[in-house]
Amino acid sequence: MSGIDDTEASIDPRGVLYPARLPTFHRVEAPAELSGLVRWFWIPEWRLAPGRTSRQELLPFPASNLVVGPDAVTLAGPTTSASHRDLTGTGWAVGMLLRPAALMTLVDDPGVLRDVEVPFAAPSLLRDVVAAMADPDRDAARSGAVRACRVWCADRFASGDDPEGVLANRMEEVVAGDRDIVRVEQLAERLGVGVRAVQRLAQRSVGLPPLTIIRRYRLQEAAQRLRDDTDVTIAQVAADLGYADHAHLTSDFRRVLGLTPTGYRRDPDSRPDR
């Protein structure tokens, strides 16, 4: 069984490299009161035949995720390349894609989380999510799990808008929403601060250099266009996303994903409607 259920149409579709391989996958937009802390909640569920493994390959957003599983809560930091998870048997996870402002309250240096996933002590969150996911009514289970996450977030994160957190979230919004942003200088100008300030802010709130954050969003957009629009040329995708030429996009693809744009486009598993 596969497919994506975007509970809210406004949820960003980027980041999934092979939609056809997904298990049942639900994403729920965070409510307004948590929108400065969580971008959305995501819940994959799977049931695989004995001996079968399903590899889920992603080009993650330049952000961190708080993930609840049946046995533990983990904090997964930002990645510097594509990543994967091998699913077996029967299982589920409930994740929260964190905004920069939220991550700043959880760790002093997000850079230490780069490319790693570490245990995170949240016993009440684990207890309540596991209890919710035990409901045999799958819709009720997912709704209950999201509700448990919302309650935990409301209790865990301080109220009020920290100016640095607000600016960090604004940085994320600008890069995610404006494909014309391809250089750190452009981002600094949009935020009304200097380049050095943007560099410090990115490291403090995301754990990645600002240029890496920019390039990740542009590469996600490139992958999405390559699989969704078979008529657009690779050269046109490169030009539209600010790459100097086809070769630079290919270099980025190969470095981060381990394959070329042509190779990715030819893979039938990249098709979202398979």
Side-chain angles (χ1 to χ4, degrees), residues 1-4 15-26 42-48 52-60 79 81-89 91 93 264 269:
M1 184 176 184
S2 64
I4 301 176
V16 178
L17 289 175
Y18 298 98
R21 298 181 190 172
L22 282 176
T24 301
F25 189 77
H26 300 262
W42 50 271
I43 307 175
E45 298 179 88
W46 61 93
R47 184 183 298 274
L48 301 173
R52 185 186 168 202
T53 298
S54 176
R55 172 158 291 192
Q56 307 302 312
E57 297 188 68
L58 302 172
L59 181 59
T79 66
S81 63
S83 65
H84 72 269
R85 288 177 182 265
D86 288 330
L87 306 181
T88 59
Y264 175 69
D269 278 357

Side-chain angles (χ1 to χ4, degrees), residues 121-136:
S124 64
L125 177 64
L126 176 63
R127 179 196 65 226
D128 294 345
V129 169
V130 170
M133 291 299 288
D135 193 321

